[in-house]
Amino acid sequence: MTLASLRKSASAAVASIDAKTPAHRDRAVDGLRALALLAVPTGHWLLGGFTVDAQGALHNASPLSAFSFFAPLSWVLQMLGIFFLVGGYASALSYSRARERGTSTSEWLRGRLARLGRPVLGVTAVWATLLPALHALGVPWQTLRTGSTLVIQPLWFVGVYAAITALTPWCLRAARRWGAWAAAPLIGSVALVDFLRYGPFAPSMPSWLSLLNLLPGWLFAYQLGVSWGEKKLGRRGAWALLIGGAVLFAALLLVFHYPTSMVGVPGEARTNSHPPSLLVLALAAAQSGAAILLHNRIGALLRRPALWAPVVIMNLSAMTILCWHQTAMLTAAIPASFAGAVPGLTQAPDTLAWVATRLAWLPLFAVLLALTGRYARGFEAPWTRARRGRRALAGVLAAGFAVFALGLA
């Protein structure tokens, strides 16, 4: 096939995707979701590295441990606030339309949770079968534990998102009654927990206290999205979120000395993201305000078929990208570990040269993710009754993998 014919086929595919898009489709919301989704593998691939020990086993490492001035990069790559915002927006519209069609709440929720759960069962079941095979090929157990931790690490998001999705009917009621102010108690709750765990009473506080931030911390942006979908959050509210979030973010960093990085840094006693601190909510507020203010401009930009087509492809593969992007990186790193410290891949991320070489590895990670996703997308398809036995087996394998990845075995 010639280059000209490839271009012609690509142009035809792009035009077809654009033509099949319904006129009422909110392209800006899809674009924001794709942007937030793209930040997940990009962030993990840039801010996650490895070291190789004397036995040839891989261990997790981070360039942020050596280069704290890279922390502002995490402010850009931490876009889960945007993801929850558009998730709340889309769920509010989806639930309202489902109720108008006569669909029950439980039926709507089962459909949403099934779409989240199938890919998770798929990736964990596959890795459960890979572990003994890779070990038989000479891969050290420590490497497999490191890899398993990386694979399961992004999946916490699915559990939290599922729990928040189940709260959609209550979020709608709150938005209809109080508008965007329905999110205010959530940020107040996180602020209170942060005060207790970081303030003068911190020494006497139990270690589990931070877990109280898990649900309200991520529900905050989702509730804003529901309010936005219900047309209870407009441009004035968006400006308040943008300015207020930015001011609070700066105050938390400069006055209250919150950790600069939005992701966990090995060796640091405090982390902003697991579970979310008030700094995460400040960033989510600013990002949400900016997203709402730019909504119309983003929508107009995505009227261009060449820009719209990749957004559609990413949205159709959202769970595949989330579940398999760490596997793509490990597909390159595990074989490389047999060669020792490979620059930018298995070499310690403590030099500027590592940063340059890691950037050079990113296209390979992307290609490996695309190749993996070609087959892994099948896990997103609904399971038929004939596959009930496979579903049960996948559940058992997934449970075993989780036990291993979490260090319980």
Side-chain angles (χ1 to χ4, degrees):
M1 184 176 287
T2 64
L3 183 60
S5 60
L6 283 173
R7 287 178 178 174
K8 186 176 181 180
S9 298
S11 297
V14 166
S16 175
I17 291 173
D18 186 64
K20 291 179 181 178
T21 302
H24 66 269
R25 188 76 187 183
D26 193 326
R27 299 192 181 205
V29 169
D30 284 344
L32 288 167
R33 184 187 295 109
L35 183 63
L37 185 64
L38 181 63
V40 175
T42 303
H44 285 153
W45 292 347
L46 281 176
L47 301 179
F50 301 101
T51 57
V52 183
D53 64 22
Q55 287 71 43
L58 284 177
H59 298 266
N60 288 322
S62 173
L64 291 173
S65 297
F67 305 113
S68 58
F69 55 83
F70 280 156
L73 180 62
S74 67
W75 306 348
V76 178
L77 295 175
Q78 171 60 284
M79 288 195 176
L80 287 178
I82 294 291
F83 204 103
F84 280 100
L85 175 79
V86 298
Y89 180 95
S91 291
L93 297 183
S94 172
Y95 179 75
S96 296
R97 289 167 182 165
R99 297 296 292 153
E100 289 171 2
R101 294 192 302 268
T103 303
S104 67
T105 297
S106 59
E107 185 180 355
W108 174 84
L109 185 58
R110 279 197 301 271
R112 305 289 281 197
L113 297 185
R115 285 197 292 272
L116 293 172
R118 286 190 297 263
V120 172
L121 277 179
V123 67
T124 49
V126 168
W127 265 91
T129 59
L130 281 176
L131 292 176
L134 290 173
H135 185 60
L137 292 172
V139 178
W141 275 120
Q142 181 55 52
T143 293
L144 296 177
R145 191 175 292 281
T146 296
S148 300
T149 302
L150 287 177
V151 170
I152 210 168
Q153 190 179 52
L155 302 185
W156 67 265
F157 163 82
V158 180
V160 173
Y161 193 84
I164 288 175
T165 300
L167 297 176
T168 299
W170 290 272
C171 292
L172 274 166
R173 293 172 195 164
R176 289 167 181 169
R177 184 169 183 178
W178 296 299
W181 286 105
L186 300 171
I187 197 169
S189 171
V190 172
L192 175 60
V193 171
D194 272 14
F195 173 74
L196 292 176
R197 64 175 175 157
Y198 297 142
F201 306 107
S204 61
M205 292 294 109
S207 59
W208 52 260
L209 183 69
S210 62
L211 295 177
L212 297 179
N213 277 351
L214 194 58
L215 189 62
W218 296 118
L219 182 58
F220 171 72
Y222 189 89
Q223 180 65 60
L224 290 176
V226 171
S227 299
W228 184 27
E230 286 291 294
K231 300 186 182 347
K232 299 291 186 177
L233 176 56
R235 293 186 65 83
R236 175 182 286 184
W239 275 113
L241 286 171
L242 175 58
I243 297 171
V247 170
L248 178 59
F249 189 87
L252 292 173
L253 285 178
L254 301 176
V255 180
F256 296 99
H257 308 294
Y258 271 60
T260 308
S261 174
M262 300 303 298
V263 298
V265 179
E268 292 290 336
R270 289 174 57 177
T271 176
N272 283 311
S273 296
H274 302 295
S277 71
L278 188 58
L279 191 73
V280 171
L281 274 70
L283 180 63
Q287 289 176 336
S288 297
I292 295 170
L293 291 170
L294 293 173
H295 174 267
N296 292 338
R297 292 188 181 184
I298 295 172
L301 192 65
L302 291 179
R303 289 291 170 185
R304 301 177 184 179
L307 295 178
W308 174 239
V311 168
V312 172
I313 293 170
M314 287 194 66
N315 276 277
L316 289 174
S317 306
M319 285 300 297
T320 297
I321 293 171
L322 180 69
C323 291
W324 291 91
H325 69 275
Q326 296 284 49
T327 299
M329 181 171 66
L330 288 164
T331 301
I334 291 176
S337 66
F338 288 93
V342 178
L345 193 55
T346 58
Q347 188 180 55
D350 54 7
T351 66
L352 290 176
W354 181 92
V355 178
T357 49
R358 174 49 67 99
L359 289 172
W361 282 104
L362 295 190
L364 175 62
F365 297 164
V367 169
L368 290 172
L369 177 58
L371 292 174
T372 303
R374 182 179 179 182
Y375 302 98
R377 275 204 66 209
F379 293 116
E380 296 197 37
W383 289 345
T384 62
R385 290 186 177 181
R387 295 183 176 181
R388 282 183 176 176
R390 296 182 186 179
R391 180 169 56 186
L393 177 60
V396 172
L397 290 171
F401 173 76
V403 168
F404 177 78
L406 296 173
L408 302 177

Short mmCIF file of all heavy atoms in Angstrom, two decimals, residues 106-149:
data_model
loop_
_atom_site.label_atom_id
_atom_site.label_comp_id
_atom_site.label_asym_id
_atom_site.label_seq_id
_atom_site.Cartn_x
_atom_site.Cartn_y
_atom_site.Cartn_z
N SER A 106 -31.82 0.84 39.34
CA SER A 106 -30.95 -0.33 39.48
C SER A 106 -30.50 -0.86 38.13
O SER A 106 -29.34 -1.27 37.97
CB SER A 106 -31.68 -1.43 40.26
OG SER A 106 -32.87 -1.81 39.59
N GLU A 107 -31.38 -0.83 37.14
CA GLU A 107 -31.01 -1.30 35.81
C GLU A 107 -29.96 -0.37 35.18
O GLU A 107 -29.00 -0.82 34.56
CB GLU A 107 -32.25 -1.38 34.92
CG GLU A 107 -31.99 -1.98 33.54
CD GLU A 107 -33.25 -2.04 32.69
OE1 GLU A 107 -34.35 -1.71 33.21
OE2 GLU A 107 -33.14 -2.43 31.51
N TRP A 108 -30.17 0.93 35.35
CA TRP A 108 -29.20 1.90 34.82
C TRP A 108 -27.85 1.71 35.49
O TRP A 108 -26.81 1.69 34.83
CB TRP A 108 -29.71 3.32 35.06
CG TRP A 108 -28.74 4.38 34.68
CD1 TRP A 108 -28.53 4.91 33.43
CD2 TRP A 108 -27.81 5.06 35.55
NE1 TRP A 108 -27.55 5.87 33.47
CE2 TRP A 108 -27.09 5.99 34.75
CE3 TRP A 108 -27.53 5.00 36.91
CZ2 TRP A 108 -26.10 6.83 35.29
CZ3 TRP A 108 -26.55 5.82 37.43
CH2 TRP A 108 -25.85 6.72 36.64
N LEU A 109 -27.87 1.53 36.79
CA LEU A 109 -26.61 1.39 37.53
C LEU A 109 -25.90 0.09 37.17
O LEU A 109 -24.67 0.08 37.02
CB LEU A 109 -26.89 1.44 39.04
CG LEU A 109 -25.67 1.43 39.96
CD1 LEU A 109 -24.75 2.59 39.65
CD2 LEU A 109 -26.10 1.46 41.42
N ARG A 110 -26.63 -1.00 37.00
CA ARG A 110 -26.00 -2.26 36.62
C ARG A 110 -25.28 -2.13 35.29
O ARG A 110 -24.16 -2.65 35.12
CB ARG A 110 -27.05 -3.38 36.53
CG ARG A 110 -27.43 -3.99 37.86
CD ARG A 110 -28.14 -5.31 37.67
NE ARG A 110 -29.35 -5.19 36.86
CZ ARG A 110 -30.55 -4.93 37.34
NH1 ARG A 110 -30.71 -4.75 38.66
NH2 ARG A 110 -31.60 -4.82 36.55
N GLY A 111 -25.89 -1.43 34.36
CA GLY A 111 -25.25 -1.23 33.06
C GLY A 111 -23.96 -0.43 33.17
O GLY A 111 -22.95 -0.77 32.55
N ARG A 112 -23.98 0.62 33.98
CA ARG A 112 -22.78 1.45 34.15
C ARG A 112 -21.67 0.67 34.84
O ARG A 112 -20.50 0.74 34.44
CB ARG A 112 -23.11 2.70 34.97
CG ARG A 112 -24.25 3.56 34.46
CD ARG A 112 -23.92 4.31 33.21
NE ARG A 112 -23.12 5.49 33.47
CZ ARG A 112 -22.97 6.49 32.59
NH1 ARG A 112 -23.53 6.41 31.40
NH2 ARG A 112 -22.22 7.53 32.88
N LEU A 113 -22.02 -0.07 35.88
CA LEU A 113 -21.00 -0.80 36.63
C LEU A 113 -20.43 -1.96 35.82
O LEU A 113 -19.24 -2.28 35.95
CB LEU A 113 -21.59 -1.31 37.95
CG LEU A 113 -22.05 -0.22 38.94
CD1 LEU A 113 -22.50 -0.87 40.25
CD2 LEU A 113 -20.96 0.80 39.20
N ALA A 114 -21.25 -2.58 35.00
CA ALA A 114 -20.75 -3.68 34.17
C ALA A 114 -19.71 -3.18 33.19
O ALA A 114 -18.69 -3.85 32.95
CB ALA A 114 -21.91 -4.34 33.42
N ARG A 115 -19.92 -2.00 32.64
CA ARG A 115 -18.95 -1.45 31.69
C ARG A 115 -17.63 -1.12 32.38
O ARG A 115 -16.57 -1.14 31.75
CB ARG A 115 -19.53 -0.19 31.02
CG ARG A 115 -20.58 -0.50 29.97
CD ARG A 115 -20.83 0.69 29.06
NE ARG A 115 -21.46 1.79 29.75
CZ ARG A 115 -22.77 1.94 29.89
NH1 ARG A 115 -23.60 1.01 29.42
NH2 ARG A 115 -23.27 2.98 30.53
N LEU A 116 -17.69 -0.80 33.66
CA LEU A 116 -16.47 -0.54 34.41
C LEU A 116 -15.78 -1.84 34.84
O LEU A 116 -14.56 -1.94 34.84
CB LEU A 116 -16.79 0.30 35.66
CG LEU A 116 -17.26 1.73 35.45
CD1 LEU A 116 -17.70 2.34 36.78
CD2 LEU A 116 -16.16 2.58 34.84
N GLY A 117 -16.58 -2.82 35.21
CA GLY A 117 -16.02 -4.03 35.80
C GLY A 117 -15.42 -5.01 34.82
O GLY A 117 -14.42 -5.68 35.15
N ARG A 118 -15.97 -5.14 33.64
CA ARG A 118 -15.48 -6.16 32.69
C ARG A 118 -14.01 -5.97 32.34
O ARG A 118 -13.23 -6.94 32.39
CB ARG A 118 -16.34 -6.15 31.42
CG ARG A 118 -17.72 -6.76 31.60
CD ARG A 118 -18.42 -6.95 30.28
NE ARG A 118 -18.68 -5.70 29.60
CZ ARG A 118 -19.84 -5.05 29.63
NH1 ARG A 118 -20.85 -5.53 30.34
NH2 ARG A 118 -20.01 -3.92 28.96
N PRO A 119 -13.56 -4.76 31.98
CA PRO A 119 -12.14 -4.61 31.65
C PRO A 119 -11.21 -4.86 32.83
O PRO A 119 -10.09 -5.36 32.65
CB PRO A 119 -12.04 -3.15 31.18
CG PRO A 119 -13.43 -2.78 30.79
CD PRO A 119 -14.31 -3.52 31.74
N VAL A 120 -11.66 -4.53 34.04
CA VAL A 120 -10.84 -4.76 35.22
C VAL A 120 -10.66 -6.26 35.45
O VAL A 120 -9.55 -6.74 35.72
CB VAL A 120 -11.48 -4.10 36.46
CG1 VAL A 120 -10.74 -4.50 37.73
CG2 VAL A 120 -11.47 -2.59 36.31
N LEU A 121 -11.75 -7.01 35.34
CA LEU A 121 -11.64 -8.47 35.46
C LEU A 121 -10.72 -9.02 34.38
O LEU A 121 -9.94 -9.94 34.63
CB LEU A 121 -13.03 -9.11 35.34
CG LEU A 121 -13.90 -9.14 36.59
CD1 LEU A 121 -15.24 -9.79 36.28
CD2 LEU A 121 -13.20 -9.89 37.71
N GLY A 122 -10.81 -8.45 33.18
CA GLY A 122 -9.99 -8.93 32.07
C GLY A 122 -8.50 -8.77 32.32
O GLY A 122 -7.74 -9.73 32.20
N VAL A 123 -8.08 -7.57 32.70
CA VAL A 123 -6.64 -7.33 32.87
C VAL A 123 -6.08 -8.09 34.05
O VAL A 123 -4.97 -8.65 33.99
CB VAL A 123 -6.34 -5.81 32.99
CG1 VAL A 123 -6.90 -5.22 34.27
CG2 VAL A 123 -4.84 -5.56 32.90
N THR A 124 -6.83 -8.18 35.14
CA THR A 124 -6.32 -8.89 36.31
C THR A 124 -6.30 -10.40 36.08
O THR A 124 -5.38 -11.09 36.55
CB THR A 124 -7.16 -8.56 37.56
OG1 THR A 124 -8.55 -8.70 37.26
CG2 THR A 124 -6.90 -7.13 38.02
N ALA A 125 -7.29 -10.92 35.35
CA ALA A 125 -7.28 -12.36 35.05
C ALA A 125 -6.13 -12.72 34.12
O ALA A 125 -5.47 -13.75 34.30
CB ALA A 125 -8.61 -12.77 34.42
N VAL A 126 -5.85 -11.88 33.14
CA VAL A 126 -4.74 -12.14 32.23
C VAL A 126 -3.41 -12.13 32.99
O VAL A 126 -2.56 -13.01 32.79
CB VAL A 126 -4.72 -11.11 31.08
CG1 VAL A 126 -3.41 -11.17 30.31
CG2 VAL A 126 -5.89 -11.35 30.14
N TRP A 127 -3.24 -11.15 33.87
CA TRP A 127 -2.00 -11.08 34.62
C TRP A 127 -1.87 -12.26 35.60
O TRP A 127 -0.76 -12.74 35.86
CB TRP A 127 -1.91 -9.76 35.37
CG TRP A 127 -1.13 -8.75 34.58
CD1 TRP A 127 -1.63 -7.86 33.69
CD2 TRP A 127 0.29 -8.59 34.59
NE1 TRP A 127 -0.61 -7.13 33.13
CE2 TRP A 127 0.59 -7.54 33.66
CE3 TRP A 127 1.32 -9.18 35.28
CZ2 TRP A 127 1.88 -7.11 33.41
CZ3 TRP A 127 2.63 -8.75 35.05
CH2 TRP A 127 2.90 -7.73 34.12
N ALA A 128 -2.98 -12.75 36.12
CA ALA A 128 -2.93 -13.91 37.01
C ALA A 128 -2.39 -15.13 36.27
O ALA A 128 -1.66 -15.95 36.86
CB ALA A 128 -4.31 -14.20 37.58
N THR A 129 -2.73 -15.25 35.00
CA THR A 129 -2.21 -16.38 34.22
C THR A 129 -0.78 -16.14 33.74
O THR A 129 -0.03 -17.09 33.53
CB THR A 129 -3.12 -16.65 33.00
OG1 THR A 129 -3.18 -15.47 32.18
CG2 THR A 129 -4.52 -17.03 33.45
N LEU A 130 -0.41 -14.86 33.59
CA LEU A 130 0.94 -14.54 33.14
C LEU A 130 2.00 -14.75 34.22
O LEU A 130 3.14 -15.10 33.91
CB LEU A 130 1.01 -13.08 32.67
CG LEU A 130 0.48 -12.74 31.29
CD1 LEU A 130 0.54 -11.24 31.06
CD2 LEU A 130 1.29 -13.47 30.22
N LEU A 131 1.63 -14.54 35.48
CA LEU A 131 2.62 -14.58 36.56
C LEU A 131 3.41 -15.89 36.60
O LEU A 131 4.65 -15.87 36.57
CB LEU A 131 1.94 -14.34 37.91
CG LEU A 131 1.40 -12.92 38.15
CD1 LEU A 131 0.68 -12.84 39.49
CD2 LEU A 131 2.52 -11.88 38.09
N PRO A 132 2.76 -17.06 36.65
CA PRO A 132 3.56 -18.30 36.68
C PRO A 132 4.32 -18.55 35.39
O PRO A 132 5.43 -19.09 35.41
CB PRO A 132 2.51 -19.40 36.93
CG PRO A 132 1.21 -18.79 36.55
CD PRO A 132 1.33 -17.33 36.80
N ALA A 133 3.74 -18.13 34.26
CA ALA A 133 4.42 -18.33 32.98
C ALA A 133 5.69 -17.48 32.90
O ALA A 133 6.75 -17.97 32.48
CB ALA A 133 3.47 -17.98 31.83
N LEU A 134 5.61 -16.25 33.33
CA LEU A 134 6.78 -15.37 33.29
C LEU A 134 7.85 -15.84 34.27
O LEU A 134 9.04 -15.78 33.98
CB LEU A 134 6.37 -13.92 33.61
CG LEU A 134 5.55 -13.21 32.55
CD1 LEU A 134 5.06 -11.86 33.06
CD2 LEU A 134 6.35 -13.02 31.27
N HIS A 135 7.41 -16.30 35.43
CA HIS A 135 8.39 -16.81 36.40
C HIS A 135 9.10 -18.04 35.86
O HIS A 135 10.32 -18.22 36.07
CB HIS A 135 7.70 -17.13 37.73
CG HIS A 135 8.66 -17.53 38.81
ND1 HIS A 135 9.66 -16.70 39.25
CD2 HIS A 135 8.78 -18.67 39.52
CE1 HIS A 135 10.35 -17.31 40.20
NE2 HIS A 135 9.83 -18.52 40.38
N ALA A 136 8.37 -18.89 35.17
CA ALA A 136 8.97 -20.07 34.57
C ALA A 136 10.01 -19.70 33.51
O ALA A 136 10.96 -20.45 33.26
CB ALA A 136 7.89 -20.96 33.95
N LEU A 137 9.83 -18.53 32.91
CA LEU A 137 10.78 -18.05 31.90
C LEU A 137 11.98 -17.33 32.53
O LEU A 137 12.84 -16.83 31.81
CB LEU A 137 10.08 -17.11 30.92
CG LEU A 137 9.03 -17.77 29.99
CD1 LEU A 137 8.27 -16.70 29.21
CD2 LEU A 137 9.70 -18.77 29.06
N GLY A 138 12.02 -17.25 33.86
CA GLY A 138 13.17 -16.67 34.52
C GLY A 138 12.97 -15.28 35.08
O GLY A 138 13.92 -14.67 35.59
N VAL A 139 11.76 -14.75 35.00
CA VAL A 139 11.50 -13.42 35.56
C VAL A 139 11.42 -13.53 37.08
O VAL A 139 10.63 -14.33 37.60
CB VAL A 139 10.19 -12.82 35.00
CG1 VAL A 139 9.91 -11.45 35.62
CG2 VAL A 139 10.25 -12.72 33.48
N PRO A 140 12.22 -12.75 37.83
CA PRO A 140 12.20 -12.84 39.30
C PRO A 140 10.83 -12.49 39.88
O PRO A 140 10.10 -11.65 39.34
CB PRO A 140 13.26 -11.82 39.73
CG PRO A 140 14.12 -11.63 38.54
CD PRO A 140 13.23 -11.79 37.35
N TRP A 141 10.51 -13.13 41.02
CA TRP A 141 9.24 -12.84 41.67
C TRP A 141 9.15 -11.37 42.06
O TRP A 141 8.07 -10.77 42.02
CB TRP A 141 9.05 -13.71 42.90
CG TRP A 141 8.48 -15.07 42.61
CD1 TRP A 141 9.06 -16.28 42.87
CD2 TRP A 141 7.21 -15.37 42.01
NE1 TRP A 141 8.24 -17.31 42.46
CE2 TRP A 141 7.09 -16.77 41.93
CE3 TRP A 141 6.17 -14.58 41.51
CZ2 TRP A 141 5.99 -17.41 41.39
CZ3 TRP A 141 5.05 -15.21 40.97
CH2 TRP A 141 4.97 -16.61 40.91
N GLN A 142 10.25 -10.75 42.45
CA GLN A 142 10.20 -9.33 42.84
C GLN A 142 9.82 -8.46 41.65
O GLN A 142 9.07 -7.49 41.79
CB GLN A 142 11.55 -8.89 43.40
CG GLN A 142 11.57 -7.43 43.85
CD GLN A 142 10.48 -7.10 44.85
OE1 GLN A 142 10.33 -7.78 45.85
NE2 GLN A 142 9.71 -6.04 44.57
N THR A 143 10.30 -8.80 40.47
CA THR A 143 9.90 -8.07 39.26
C THR A 143 8.40 -8.23 39.03
O THR A 143 7.71 -7.25 38.70
CB THR A 143 10.67 -8.58 38.04
OG1 THR A 143 12.05 -8.25 38.18
CG2 THR A 143 10.14 -7.96 36.74
N LEU A 144 7.90 -9.44 39.20
CA LEU A 144 6.48 -9.68 38.99
C LEU A 144 5.63 -8.96 40.03
O LEU A 144 4.55 -8.46 39.72
CB LEU A 144 6.20 -11.19 39.04
CG LEU A 144 6.88 -12.00 37.92
CD1 LEU A 144 6.61 -13.48 38.10
CD2 LEU A 144 6.40 -11.53 36.55
N ARG A 145 6.13 -8.87 41.26
CA ARG A 145 5.39 -8.13 42.28
C ARG A 145 5.39 -6.63 41.96
O ARG A 145 4.37 -5.95 42.12
CB ARG A 145 5.96 -8.38 43.67
CG ARG A 145 5.08 -7.85 44.79
CD ARG A 145 5.61 -8.22 46.16
NE ARG A 145 5.54 -9.64 46.44
CZ ARG A 145 4.43 -10.27 46.82
NH1 ARG A 145 3.29 -9.60 46.94
NH2 ARG A 145 4.45 -11.56 47.10
N THR A 146 6.53 -6.12 41.52
CA THR A 146 6.61 -4.71 41.12
C THR A 146 5.64 -4.44 39.97
O THR A 146 4.89 -3.46 39.99
CB THR A 146 8.04 -4.36 40.68
OG1 THR A 146 8.92 -4.51 41.80
CG2 THR A 146 8.12 -2.93 40.16
N GLY A 147 5.66 -5.32 38.97
CA GLY A 147 4.76 -5.14 37.83
C GLY A 147 3.31 -5.24 38.24
O GLY A 147 2.47 -4.46 37.78
N SER A 148 2.98 -6.19 39.11
CA SER A 148 1.60 -6.36 39.56
C SER A 148 1.11 -5.13 40.31
O SER A 148 -0.05 -4.71 40.16
CB SER A 148 1.50 -7.60 40.45
OG SER A 148 1.90 -8.76 39.76
N THR A 149 1.98 -4.55 41.13
CA THR A 149 1.62 -3.33 41.85
C THR A 149 1.29 -2.21 40.88
O THR A 149 0.32 -1.46 41.06
CB THR A 149 2.77 -2.90 42.78
OG1 THR A 149 3.06 -3.96 43.69
CG2 THR A 149 2.39 -1.65 43.56
#
